[in-house]
Amino acid sequence: KKAESLNWDKKTVEDARELAYKFKDDYEFGRQFLSGTHPWLIKRTRKLDSRWDAAPYVSDDLLNGTTLEDALRNGLIYEVNYNEVLDGIRDGGKLSKILTGEQQTWYCVLADCLFFLDGDRIKPILIRLEYKNGSMEPTYWLPPLEGEDDLNWLSAKIYLKTADTQVFSIGSHYTRAHALNEVFAVSLYRNLPSAHPIHRLLQPHLNGVIPINVQVQLAQIIMSM
Protein backbone atom coordinates (compact mmCIF):
# COMPACT_ATOMS: atom_id res chain seq x y z
CA LYS A 1 0.00 0.00 0.00
CA LYS A 2 2.83 2.39 0.84
CA ALA A 3 4.52 1.68 -2.50
CA GLU A 4 1.25 2.38 -4.31
CA SER A 5 0.80 5.67 -2.44
CA LEU A 6 4.27 6.73 -3.59
CA ASN A 7 3.52 5.69 -7.18
CA TRP A 8 6.35 3.16 -7.15
CA ASP A 9 6.29 0.52 -9.85
CA LYS A 10 5.05 -2.71 -8.30
CA LYS A 11 7.49 -4.93 -10.21
CA THR A 12 10.42 -2.73 -9.18
CA VAL A 13 9.42 -3.06 -5.54
CA GLU A 14 9.04 -6.84 -5.86
CA ASP A 15 12.44 -7.13 -7.57
CA ALA A 16 14.06 -5.07 -4.81
CA ARG A 17 12.46 -7.26 -2.16
CA GLU A 18 13.66 -10.42 -3.90
CA LEU A 19 17.17 -8.98 -4.16
CA ALA A 20 17.17 -8.22 -0.42
CA TYR A 21 16.60 -11.91 0.29
CA LYS A 22 19.57 -12.78 -1.95
CA PHE A 23 21.92 -10.34 -0.20
CA LYS A 24 23.86 -13.12 1.55
CA ASP A 25 24.29 -15.20 -1.60
CA ASP A 26 27.91 -15.15 -2.80
CA TYR A 27 26.99 -15.40 -6.48
CA GLU A 28 24.71 -12.38 -6.06
CA PHE A 29 27.59 -10.58 -4.33
CA GLY A 30 29.79 -11.32 -7.35
CA ARG A 31 27.09 -10.15 -9.75
CA GLN A 32 26.82 -6.86 -7.90
CA PHE A 33 30.58 -6.41 -8.14
CA LEU A 34 30.49 -6.94 -11.91
CA SER A 35 27.56 -4.54 -12.20
CA GLY A 36 29.05 -2.00 -9.80
CA THR A 37 31.27 1.04 -10.13
CA HIS A 38 34.62 -0.71 -10.62
CA PRO A 39 34.27 -3.87 -12.73
CA TRP A 40 37.61 -3.10 -14.41
CA LEU A 41 39.38 -3.50 -11.03
CA ILE A 42 38.53 -7.22 -11.04
CA LYS A 43 41.66 -8.64 -12.65
CA ARG A 44 42.63 -12.18 -13.49
CA THR A 45 45.64 -13.38 -11.54
CA ARG A 46 47.76 -16.49 -12.04
CA LYS A 47 50.08 -15.87 -9.09
CA LEU A 48 49.36 -14.49 -5.62
CA ASP A 49 51.78 -11.98 -4.12
CA SER A 50 53.07 -11.87 -0.54
CA ARG A 51 49.86 -10.32 0.80
CA TRP A 52 48.27 -13.76 0.63
CA ASP A 53 51.15 -15.74 2.19
CA ALA A 54 49.45 -16.01 5.58
CA ALA A 55 46.03 -16.86 4.14
CA PRO A 56 44.30 -20.05 5.33
CA TYR A 57 43.79 -23.07 3.13
CA VAL A 58 41.04 -22.64 0.56
CA SER A 59 38.95 -25.80 0.47
CA ASP A 60 38.52 -27.60 -2.84
CA ASP A 61 34.78 -27.56 -2.18
CA LEU A 62 34.79 -23.81 -2.82
CA LEU A 63 36.49 -24.38 -6.18
CA ASN A 64 34.29 -27.16 -7.59
CA GLY A 65 36.77 -29.85 -6.59
CA THR A 66 39.92 -28.25 -7.97
CA THR A 67 42.82 -26.85 -5.95
CA LEU A 68 43.66 -23.18 -5.66
CA GLU A 69 46.92 -23.78 -7.51
CA ASP A 70 45.11 -25.41 -10.43
CA ALA A 71 42.47 -22.68 -10.46
CA LEU A 72 45.21 -20.05 -10.65
CA ARG A 73 46.96 -21.96 -13.41
CA ASN A 74 43.73 -22.27 -15.40
CA GLY A 75 42.89 -18.57 -15.09
CA LEU A 76 39.84 -19.06 -12.85
CA ILE A 77 40.95 -16.74 -10.03
CA TYR A 78 40.29 -13.01 -10.14
CA GLU A 79 41.52 -10.45 -7.62
CA VAL A 80 40.35 -7.07 -6.34
CA ASN A 81 43.09 -5.00 -4.70
CA TYR A 82 42.05 -1.81 -2.92
CA ASN A 83 45.30 -1.39 -0.95
CA GLU A 84 46.91 0.79 -3.61
CA VAL A 85 44.15 3.41 -3.37
CA LEU A 86 43.29 3.35 0.33
CA ASP A 87 46.74 2.86 1.86
CA GLY A 88 47.70 5.97 3.82
CA ILE A 89 44.18 7.37 4.25
CA ARG A 90 43.42 8.05 7.91
CA ASP A 91 40.21 7.43 9.78
CA GLY A 92 37.61 10.17 9.49
CA GLY A 93 34.62 11.29 11.49
CA LYS A 94 35.55 14.77 12.72
CA LEU A 95 32.37 16.12 11.14
CA SER A 96 30.22 13.14 12.13
CA LYS A 97 28.48 15.01 14.95
CA ILE A 98 27.36 17.71 12.55
CA LEU A 99 26.16 15.19 9.97
CA THR A 100 24.70 12.47 12.22
CA GLY A 101 24.13 14.16 15.60
CA GLU A 102 26.72 12.08 17.46
CA GLN A 103 30.50 11.80 17.44
CA GLN A 104 31.67 8.79 15.46
CA THR A 105 34.86 7.35 14.06
CA TRP A 106 34.74 6.46 10.40
CA TYR A 107 37.28 3.70 9.94
CA CYS A 108 39.28 3.15 6.78
CA VAL A 109 39.98 -0.57 6.39
CA LEU A 110 42.04 -1.92 3.51
CA ALA A 111 40.37 -4.84 1.74
CA ASP A 112 41.28 -7.34 -0.97
CA CYS A 113 39.32 -10.26 -2.37
CA LEU A 114 39.83 -13.37 -4.47
CA PHE A 115 36.96 -14.39 -6.76
CA PHE A 116 36.45 -17.78 -8.39
CA LEU A 117 35.06 -17.98 -11.92
CA ASP A 118 32.37 -20.65 -11.90
CA GLY A 119 31.02 -20.94 -15.42
CA ASP A 120 29.68 -17.50 -16.28
CA ARG A 121 29.45 -16.37 -12.64
CA ILE A 122 31.97 -15.29 -10.02
CA LYS A 123 31.87 -15.68 -6.27
CA PRO A 124 34.21 -14.51 -3.46
CA ILE A 125 36.30 -17.27 -1.91
CA LEU A 126 38.75 -15.35 0.29
CA ILE A 127 38.74 -11.82 1.73
CA ARG A 128 41.73 -10.07 3.27
CA LEU A 129 41.17 -7.14 5.66
CA GLU A 130 43.87 -4.91 7.13
CA TYR A 131 43.44 -1.99 9.52
CA LYS A 132 46.76 -0.17 9.22
CA ASN A 133 45.57 2.88 11.17
CA GLY A 134 45.25 0.64 14.20
CA SER A 135 48.52 -1.24 13.51
CA MET A 136 46.62 -4.52 13.36
CA GLU A 137 47.76 -7.62 11.52
CA PRO A 138 45.78 -8.62 8.40
CA THR A 139 42.90 -11.02 8.87
CA TYR A 140 41.58 -13.52 6.34
CA TRP A 141 38.00 -14.68 5.95
CA LEU A 142 36.56 -17.71 4.17
CA PRO A 143 32.95 -18.58 3.30
CA PRO A 144 31.35 -20.60 6.12
CA LEU A 145 31.05 -24.34 5.88
CA GLU A 146 27.62 -25.92 5.94
CA GLY A 147 26.08 -25.43 9.35
CA GLU A 148 28.47 -22.67 10.41
CA ASP A 149 27.42 -19.15 11.35
CA ASP A 150 27.77 -16.85 8.34
CA LEU A 151 27.87 -13.57 10.32
CA ASN A 152 31.68 -13.22 10.13
CA TRP A 153 31.69 -13.86 6.39
CA LEU A 154 28.85 -11.40 5.88
CA SER A 155 30.73 -8.78 7.92
CA ALA A 156 33.86 -9.32 5.82
CA LYS A 157 31.85 -8.80 2.63
CA ILE A 158 30.39 -5.60 4.08
CA TYR A 159 33.90 -4.31 4.85
CA LEU A 160 34.91 -5.14 1.27
CA LYS A 161 31.93 -3.26 -0.16
CA THR A 162 32.70 -0.33 2.14
CA ALA A 163 36.24 -0.22 0.75
CA ASP A 164 34.76 -0.33 -2.75
CA THR A 165 32.58 2.67 -1.89
CA GLN A 166 35.58 4.58 -0.52
CA VAL A 167 37.57 3.87 -3.68
CA PHE A 168 34.65 5.14 -5.73
CA SER A 169 34.25 8.30 -3.62
CA ILE A 170 37.95 9.19 -3.63
CA GLY A 171 39.43 7.60 -6.71
CA SER A 172 36.54 7.82 -9.16
CA HIS A 173 33.94 10.39 -8.16
CA TYR A 174 36.04 13.13 -6.55
CA THR A 175 39.13 12.71 -8.73
CA ARG A 176 37.40 12.39 -12.09
CA ALA A 177 34.18 14.35 -11.61
CA HIS A 178 35.46 17.13 -9.35
CA ALA A 179 39.24 17.59 -9.29
CA LEU A 180 39.77 16.95 -13.00
CA ASN A 181 36.99 19.32 -14.07
CA GLU A 182 38.36 22.09 -11.84
CA VAL A 183 41.38 22.39 -14.16
CA PHE A 184 39.12 23.15 -17.10
CA ALA A 185 36.93 25.49 -15.04
CA VAL A 186 39.89 27.58 -13.87
CA SER A 187 41.29 27.74 -17.40
CA LEU A 188 37.89 28.70 -18.81
CA TYR A 189 37.36 31.64 -16.45
CA ARG A 190 40.96 32.86 -16.77
CA ASN A 191 41.34 32.72 -20.53
CA LEU A 192 37.98 33.12 -22.25
CA PRO A 193 35.58 36.09 -22.00
CA SER A 194 31.96 35.34 -21.19
CA ALA A 195 30.94 36.24 -24.76
CA HIS A 196 33.26 33.63 -26.29
CA PRO A 197 31.29 30.78 -27.94
CA ILE A 198 33.41 28.09 -26.23
CA HIS A 199 32.82 29.81 -22.87
CA ARG A 200 29.08 29.75 -23.50
CA LEU A 201 29.29 26.09 -24.49
CA LEU A 202 31.28 24.91 -21.45
CA GLN A 203 30.10 27.21 -18.68
CA PRO A 204 26.80 25.42 -17.92
CA HIS A 205 28.72 22.15 -17.46
CA LEU A 206 31.39 23.67 -15.21
CA ASN A 207 29.11 25.96 -13.22
CA GLY A 208 29.74 25.55 -9.49
CA VAL A 209 32.68 23.15 -9.83
CA ILE A 210 35.23 25.41 -8.10
CA PRO A 211 33.19 26.42 -5.00
CA ILE A 212 31.99 22.84 -4.50
CA ASN A 213 35.58 21.59 -4.63
CA VAL A 214 36.65 24.19 -2.07
CA GLN A 215 33.89 23.04 0.27
CA VAL A 216 34.86 19.39 -0.16
CA GLN A 217 38.54 20.11 0.50
CA LEU A 218 37.79 22.12 3.65
CA ALA A 219 34.97 20.03 5.05
CA GLN A 220 35.99 16.47 4.18
CA ILE A 221 39.51 15.97 2.90
CA ILE A 222 41.40 18.38 5.18
CA MET A 223 39.24 17.63 8.24
CA SER A 224 39.83 13.90 7.80
CA MET A 225 43.61 14.22 7.72
Side-chain angles (χ1 to χ4, degrees), residues 27-77:
Y27 287 109
E28 175 60 24
F29 185 83
R31 186 198 68 80
Q32 290 185 23
F33 247 86
L34 286 176
S35 303
T37 54
H38 299 111
W40 62 88
L41 292 181
I42 306 175
K43 300 179 180 180
R44 175 182 288 171
T45 180
R46 296 183 185 274
K47 184 178 181 181
L48 302 181
D49 60 29
S50 58
R51 289 176 296 112
W52 300 99
D53 287 348
Y57 173 74
V58 178
S59 171
D60 298 355
D61 294 336
L62 295 173
L63 307 172
N64 291 347
T66 187
T67 63
L68 180 59
E69 291 73 17
D70 288 340
L72 285 166
R73 190 180 305 111
N74 295 328
L76 299 178
I77 300 299

Side-chain angles (χ1 to χ4, degrees), residues 1-8:
K1 292 182 179 180
K2 185 176 180 180
E4 294 175 356
S5 65
L6 295 173
N7 294 322
W8 288 353

Side-chain angles (χ1 to χ4, degrees), residues 21-189:
Y21 290 124
K22 293 181 178 179
F23 183 75
K24 293 183 178 181
D25 183 76
D26 287 341
Y27 287 109
E28 175 60 24
F29 185 83
R31 186 198 68 80
Q32 290 185 23
F33 247 86
L34 286 176
S35 303
T37 54
H38 299 111
W40 62 88
L41 292 181
I42 306 175
K43 300 179 180 180
R44 175 182 288 171
T45 180
R46 296 183 185 274
K47 184 178 181 181
L48 302 181
D49 60 29
S50 58
R51 289 176 296 112
W52 300 99
D53 287 348
Y57 173 74
V58 178
S59 171
D60 298 355
D61 294 336
L62 295 173
L63 307 172
N64 291 347
T66 187
T67 63
L68 180 59
E69 291 73 17
D70 288 340
L72 285 166
R73 190 180 305 111
N74 295 328
L76 299 178
I77 300 299
Y78 288 75
E79 181 181 13
V80 172
N81 179 6
Y82 290 145
N83 274 274
E84 297 176 355
V85 179
L86 298 179
D87 192 8
I89 297 179
R90 300 178 184 178
D91 294 336
K94 291 185 178 180
L95 292 179
S96 59
K97 191 168 185 178
I98 299 175
L99 299 175
T100 67
E102 60 179 329
Q103 190 62 43
Q104 301 175 348
T105 299
W106 295 338
Y107 299 99
C108 181
V109 177
L110 309 186
D112 306 314
C113 182
L114 296 182
F115 288 91
F116 174 65
L117 178 63
D118 184 7
D120 58 353
R121 302 185 296 175
I122 64 171
K123 65 176 182 178
I125 58 170
L126 182 61
I127 294 176
R128 177 184 181 274
L129 303 177
E130 183 176 6
Y131 181 50
K132 283 191 174 181
N133 294 333
S135 300
M136 298 175 64
E137 292 295 322
T139 58
Y140 300 87
W141 304 93
L142 291 164
L145 299 175
E146 186 175 354
E148 291 184 344
D149 185 11
D150 63 350
L151 183 59
N152 288 337
W153 177 240
L154 179 61
S155 299
K157 291 194 292 184
I158 290 175
Y159 271 111
L160 180 64
K161 288 297 293 183
T162 301
D164 180 70
T165 301
Q166 291 173 325
V167 169
F168 168 75
S169 299
I170 299 171
S172 299
H173 178 68
Y174 175 75
T175 302
R176 298 180 182 180
H178 288 267
L180 182 62
N181 285 335
E182 183 176 345
V183 177
F184 296 98
V186 171
S187 179
L188 175 71
Y189 292 124

Side-chain angles (χ1 to χ4, degrees), residues 163-224:
D164 180 70
T165 301
Q166 291 173 325
V167 169
F168 168 75
S169 299
I170 299 171
S172 299
H173 178 68
Y174 175 75
T175 302
R176 298 180 182 180
H178 288 267
L180 182 62
N181 285 335
E182 183 176 345
V183 177
F184 296 98
V186 171
S187 179
L188 175 71
Y189 292 124
R190 284 183 176 179
N191 296 289
L192 297 178
S194 59
H196 196 287
I198 295 182
H199 187 288
R200 293 189 174 187
L201 178 67
L202 294 180
Q203 197 276 336
H205 302 284
L206 300 175
N207 184 36
V209 168
I210 297 175
I212 289 175
N213 285 1
V214 171
Q215 292 178 355
V216 171
Q217 292 167 11
L218 293 176
Q220 297 185 17
I221 298 179
I222 295 177
M223 291 294 290
S224 298

